[in-house]
Amino acid sequence: MIFDKLITYIVRSRTALIVVFVLASCSCTVVGPQSITAGRGTYTEVINRTQDEQTLNMLVRLRYDETFGMMSVASVTSNLRFRSEAATNIGIGDSDNYAGNLVPLSAGVAYEENPTISYVPLSGEDFTRRMLSPVSPNEWLLLGTGTRHPGEIFALAVRRVNGLHNQLLDDEPTSPSFGRFIELYDQLRLAGVLEVVASSDSNIDPEYIWDIHNYQEAHGDSVRELLGLIGIEVKIDGSPILLPLRLAVGSSTSAVHLQTRSAFNVLHVFGAGIEIPSAHLEAGIVEPRGAAGMQFITIRSSKNYPENATVRIRFRDHWFYIDATDASSKRAFLFLQTFIGMRLADPAAAHKAPVITVPVN
């Protein structure tokens, strides 16, 4: 009787090993793709959320005149470890002693994921230069591609146009006609009458021109007014008007002279849209500012946790957030993230800066 049960045990053990082998073989073809399906979306979601929180935290701290830091995710490395196990039970003796209590065969395959995340601090001389130097017309042109209101991007980009001053946060007041200029610029860009194109004369460092065309029938008066506001002297007779864009100070009668903003200026402009709690103003934690010439975003503050927020952070006992129903502010924040990615996040920094590697498990 005992010999027969030992034979049965051996047969069951061999069966268990076969089952484990089959399960392990299947897991190699199933677990891998499934881990990508489950893991990739989760990593992407967390990176996007924390990137939004980092940007919002930077804006708030900058508005409070406090230091801030930025870190870019350089890489995410995930290791999968498989573990298989099998067990069988055999009873010896009278079956009445163990009937119904034994599991004849059990097998399983498990895997665990161990991610390692590497960060690159955004700092150093190159980062400071990109933060403080004026943003080039080429970068502003790319940033403004496909925007709903080209005039808003132009107003954010420039400090002066042919002597017209654009007050956003500067002490010098805005030129009275600058608002009308932006209105006309936006109108003509959306109508396809005013285009910003690259000059064909330079292949390495392209120069840009305003190409004003097809305006005679419906937009002649608008073109005449726009050019008059910035002192351009040109005959408006329906023929194309080509005006070079130049980074220069002062006015011109035959070209558009621009002074563009730096990334640091842009961040200050967006920070002006933060609603500062009255308690912080009264305590002198943050200085009040005058009304900005144009507000691009609204960042609300609340003592209570904001349920309906697209991004939120906790700072100095208050929540700062962008309301999920505020479509204009959400678009502005999306633009800001694109701007930061283009202007501040240097792809080559990973090869130059120290990398911080954090094992998650």
Side-chain angles (χ1 to χ4, degrees):
M1 175 67 71
I2 295 176
F3 179 77
D4 292 340
K5 291 184 177 181
L6 287 174
I7 295 298
T8 303
Y9 174 78
I10 293 172
V11 171
R12 288 177 176 176
S13 299
R14 292 184 62 187
T15 303
L17 291 175
I18 293 172
V19 171
V20 170
F21 176 78
V22 171
L23 289 174
S25 300
C26 293
S27 69
C28 292
T29 60
V30 175
V31 175
Q34 285 182 345
S35 67
I36 293 176
T37 301
R40 184 168 185 169
T42 302
Y43 285 130
T44 301
E45 177 65 26
V46 172
I47 289 173
N48 285 343
R49 176 173 55 80
T50 54
Q51 178 66 34
D52 287 348
E53 292 171 351
Q54 177 178 251
T55 300
L56 182 56
N57 180 73
M58 174 183 61
L59 289 178
V60 173
R61 295 183 71 88
L62 190 62
R63 177 63 181 87
Y64 277 70
D65 297 318
E66 297 189 9
T67 58
F68 64 89
M70 298 179 65
M71 301 187 75
S72 175
V73 177
S75 66
V76 177
T77 304
S78 182
N79 297 316
L80 296 179
R81 186 170 64 182
F82 293 89
R83 182 179 70 254
S84 60
E85 56 186 19
T88 186
N89 295 289
I90 183 171
I92 298 177
D94 191 349
S95 61
D96 293 338
N97 296 328
Y98 55 80
N101 296 323
L102 297 179
V103 179
L105 173 65
S106 62
V109 176
Y111 78 96
E112 62 182 24
E113 188 173 4
N114 299 298
T116 300
I117 302 174
S118 299
Y119 300 93
V120 177
L122 300 181
S123 59
E125 180 182 351
D126 187 58
F127 174 76
T128 302
R129 184 181 298 109
R130 285 182 281 121
M131 175 74 85
L132 298 179
S133 60
V135 182
S136 69
N138 183 35
E139 290 173 299
W140 282 118
L141 181 62
L142 292 175
L143 288 165
T145 302
T147 185
R148 293 189 178 190
H149 296 287
E152 290 185 359
I153 303 302
F154 192 83
L156 181 63
V158 301
R159 299 178 61 189
R160 289 182 178 85
V161 185
N162 270 19
L164 283 185
H165 184 72
N166 172 25
Q167 186 270 337
L168 284 178
L169 295 176
D170 300 331
D171 294 331
E172 185 179 345
T174 299
S175 299
S177 54
F178 187 84
R180 177 57 178 167
F181 167 79
I182 290 298
E183 181 182 341
L184 291 168
Y185 176 86
D186 192 67
Q187 171 190 323
L188 295 174
R189 283 296 307 275
L190 291 175
V193 172
L194 192 160
E195 304 283 355
V196 182
V197 298
S199 173
S200 58
D201 297 335
S202 177
N203 296 324
I204 300 176
D205 191 11
E207 296 180 353
Y208 293 91
I209 61 175
W210 278 3
D211 184 352
I212 305 174
H213 54 86
N214 300 331
Y215 56 85
Q216 188 63 20
E217 293 185 4
H219 302 283
D221 292 339
S222 296
V223 169
R224 183 176 292 104
E225 184 180 0
L226 175 77
L227 299 183
L229 289 174
I230 57 175
I232 298 294
E233 298 177 1
V234 64
K235 189 176 182 179
I236 302 176
D237 56 3
S239 58
I241 301 172
L242 303 179
L243 299 171
L245 297 177
R246 296 172 181 162
L247 289 176
V249 180
S251 59
S252 172
T253 59
S254 58
V256 181
H257 286 184
L258 304 174
Q259 283 184 278
T260 59
R261 299 184 186 279
S262 67
F264 191 72
N265 295 146
V266 172
L267 295 179
H268 269 293
V269 169
F270 274 81
I274 299 173
E275 295 180 350
I276 304 298
S278 57
H280 291 180
L281 290 171
E282 293 170 0
I285 298 174
V286 59
E287 293 181 347
R289 286 179 181 169
M294 182 180 295
Q295 184 167 316
F296 294 87
I297 193 171
T298 299
I299 299 173
R300 305 184 185 281
S301 61
S302 173
K303 268 281 193 181
N304 302 319
Y305 179 83
E307 296 288 349
N308 194 29
T310 186
V311 56
R312 63 179 74 85
I313 63 161
R314 181 79 171 171
F315 180 78
R316 287 190 172 273
D317 72 12
H318 274 73
W319 288 96
F320 294 85
Y321 65 98
I322 295 177
D323 196 288
T325 62
D326 188 350
S328 177
S329 293
K330 290 195 295 183
R331 285 194 299 269
F333 194 77
L334 176 61
F335 168 84
L336 181 61
Q337 288 287 50
T338 305
F339 176 83
I340 290 174
M342 172 184 287
R343 183 64 178 175
L344 301 182
D346 183 8
H351 303 289
K352 298 179 293 185
V355 176
I356 300 175
T357 303
V358 181
V360 177
N361 291 332

